[in-house]
Amino acid sequence: MILYDLVNSRKTHFSPNSWRVRLALAHKGLAYEVRDVLFGDIPSINTGGDKLTIPTISHNGRLVTDSWDIVRYLDEALPQTPRLIAPGAEGQVLKFFQFWVQTTIHGGIARLIMRDLHDSLDPADQPYFRASREKMYKQTLEALQAGREERVDAFRKSLQPMRLSLGHGPFISGEQPGYADYLAFGGFQWARVSSPFQLLAEDDVVHAWFERCLDLFDGAGRREAPAV
Ligand SMILES: N[C@@H](CCC(=O)N[C@@H](CS)C(=O)NCC(=O)O)C(=O)O
């Protein structure tokens, strides 16, 4: 199995959508080889076919892109490994949680660290990243990140559903971590390796949960050095 993953100028893996798949692969006990790419390399992964995004995996000669589709594919193709997305309604609720992560966690974090993230990228990727993200957010990266010290409290408040959930166990998924944890983890790991900005207060249960997640699978997340 090959995982195509983005690296920044420090060769650190920062993609939030890849981190959820990395922990899913570890949860399933699957070995894989990582192919480091820059944003500019993504079109060369699949010259003939559809446009891919990161993460993409190659398994038995087949390319699978999109984190949700990758985990579903692994659940189906390797049924002897622990299943991460339940069939039916339960899986649909997990998909809803993915949308919450995308809008509240990724959307909130982007408005706090996007300029730092840009600066952490390989210089070859920076012009593309700036142009595409400024088009997406309809403002400069500097304007997007401005005033973050005053805005971080609102972001922390928006995480209240996680706090309520973590009142029932060490992980969002309960006593043991599951795909909901890996979905949320990806966003915080993205911030951790891309920006020195302190997103979470140290006495927040979300902070304690994130530290627990960094320790999972022999510290797979912690091995990636934080931004300084
Ligand atoms: N729905 C996709 C989103 C993947 C995605 O947007 N990945 C980003 C990197 S984190 C990407 O490949 N961006 C390509 C680009 O901006 O050109 C998933 O969850 O895998």
Side-chain angles (χ1 to χ4, degrees):
M1 177 127 44
I2 296 169
L3 171 71
Y4 293 91
D5 203 357
L6 284 162
V7 282
N8 63 18
S9 66
R10 294 186 297 128
K11 304 279 178 240
T12 302
H13 301 100
F14 62 92
S15 160
N17 305 307
S18 289
W19 272 103
R20 50 175 76 152
V21 167
R22 279 173 172 263
L23 294 197
L25 287 163
H27 185 113
K28 287 176 172 290
L30 295 170
Y32 58 97
E33 187 190 317
V34 180
R35 295 270 162 87
D36 289 348
V37 293
L38 299 179
F39 280 102
D41 299 324
I42 297 175
S44 69
I45 300 173
N46 188 22
T47 44
D50 296 340
K51 187 180 182 293
L52 301 178
T53 50
I54 299 299
T56 289
I57 63 160
S58 171
H59 183 241
N60 290 341
R62 178 175 169 183
L63 285 175
V64 187
T65 198
D66 183 78
S67 53
W68 185 265
D69 288 348
I70 290 170
V71 175
R72 269 201 336 189
Y73 166 81
L74 295 172
D75 280 346
E76 295 302 325
L78 303 164
Q80 73 281 15
T81 64
R83 190 177 190 106
L84 282 165
I85 301 177
E90 209 182 311
Q92 287 308 312
V93 176
L94 195 55
K95 186 92 192 245
F96 172 84
F97 183 70
Q98 176 176 292
F99 291 131
W100 183 79
V101 165
Q102 189 182 316
T103 52
T104 304
I105 301 187
H106 293 192
I109 290 176
R111 289 169 175 79
L112 298 168
I113 67 154
M114 215 45 150
R115 169 67 206 272
D116 292 350
L117 174 56
H118 166 272
D119 294 350
S120 76
L121 294 178
D122 189 289
D125 267 349
Q126 291 185 7
Y128 163 76
F129 186 82
R130 177 179 284 281
S132 60
R133 271 47 181 185
E134 291 188 345
K135 189 170 170 204
M136 188 186 298
Y137 290 99
K138 299 186 176 57
Q139 53 187 319
T140 63
L141 300 183
E142 288 69 20
L144 190 65
Q145 189 173 292
R148 62 182 173 180
E149 287 75 14
E150 290 76 56
R151 293 187 292 104
V152 69
D153 256 3
F155 170 71
R156 291 175 181 173
K157 284 203 179 81
S158 74
L159 304 174
Q160 189 61 9
M162 282 187 73
R163 268 174 223 113
L164 294 171
S165 163
L166 291 168
H168 296 277
F171 295 103
I172 299 168
S173 306
E175 287 302 316
Q176 299 298 327
Y179 197 54
D181 294 277
Y182 310 151
L183 285 167
F185 172 81
F188 293 100
Q189 176 76 330
W190 179 43
R192 174 180 170 270
V193 301
S194 305
S195 167
F197 185 65
Q198 187 167 356
L199 274 185
L200 298 169
E202 294 203 351
D203 60 356
D204 190 340
V205 294
V206 179
H207 183 277
W209 160 86
F210 182 54
E211 292 294 314
R212 274 195 290 281
C213 289
L214 284 170
D215 288 335
L216 291 170
F217 312 116
D218 298 323
R222 207 179 283 288
R223 272 198 294 280
E224 217 75 8
V228 283

